[in-house]
Amino acid sequence: MIAALRPALTQVTRHHGFRDLGGAPVPAAEAWDHFDNGPARGYWPLLRELDPRAGVYELRVNGELRYELRRAAAASGHRIDVVVDRDPDDDTTVSVYVNGARVTGPDVQVHVLDPGRAGADHDWFTGHLQHDGPVPVAVRSEIALLAESYHDSQYCAHAECDG
């Protein structure tokens, strides 16, 4: 088990005394050196798990010296920025950036719901419930809820709206 922890626990802080809560960042090798060579130096270090979800461990060398070891924070992988240009005299355009690079193509699907000043008539409403190709259920549901909120079915003359 300890062999599996060594490469994972790379964020290490050294603490002197029980009042040193912040500690000082140190290389992981320093803490593991105390763990590996403690018995030869006359002390028995204790490694214990403090938070299994966060991956936080404590290596207690003696009453004055302890190390806090953590797994490195997981990177989110992507930053996604969406720029919406709603020109009142023209179409609404959307640009999508992933990690600062503009992305286009089949992997980027943009769904724009803009009922305009005149409101959402029945054709506008039903047009937003139809999709070209597969659209994830969660996305379909959100589009349907938004389209319904713009379309006042109470005053719609179409039979399927019960207006």
Side-chain angles (χ1 to χ4, degrees):
M1 177 183 137
I2 292 175
L5 288 175
R6 285 180 190 255
L9 301 177
T10 58
Q11 304 291 320
V12 180
T13 53
R14 178 181 352 143
H15 304 264
H16 289 286
F18 68 92
R19 290 196 172 115
D20 183 7
L21 300 178
V26 296
E30 179 181 318
W32 291 116
D33 178 60
H34 279 285
F35 183 80
D36 294 335
N37 298 312
R41 295 177 182 156
Y43 56 86
W44 302 96
L46 172 68
L47 180 67
R48 67 184 182 128
E49 187 175 49
L50 297 178
D51 185 348
R53 276 196 191 148
V56 179
Y57 292 79
E58 177 188 56
L59 174 62
R60 187 167 293 276
V61 176
N62 55 39
E64 286 295 311
L65 178 61
R66 69 181 177 86
Y67 292 91
E68 193 172 282
L69 300 98
R70 297 175 175 269
R71 284 192 300 250
S76 65
H78 299 292
R79 175 188 167 96
I80 299 173
D81 292 279
V82 179
V83 179
V84 179
D85 177 15
R86 191 195 167 291
D87 185 342
D89 299 321
D90 203 358
D91 292 334
T92 299
T93 59
V94 178
S95 301
V96 178
Y97 295 81
V98 176
N99 295 333
R102 187 173 181 168
V103 291
T104 59
D107 292 338
V108 177
Q109 300 297 319
V110 176
H111 309 274
V112 177
L113 283 81
D114 184 358
R117 180 168 280 187
D121 63 11
H122 189 78
D123 291 336
W124 182 93
F125 171 66
T126 57
H128 280 80
L129 300 180
Q130 300 168 8
H131 305 281
D132 296 335
V135 176
V137 172
V139 176
R140 284 179 182 268
S141 297
E142 183 171 356
I143 291 170
L145 285 172
L146 289 169
E148 287 174 19
S149 73
Y150 286 122
H151 179 63
D152 195 350
S153 61
Q154 180 179 1
Y155 299 106
C156 184
H158 287 81
E160 60 257 26
C161 288
D162 295 323

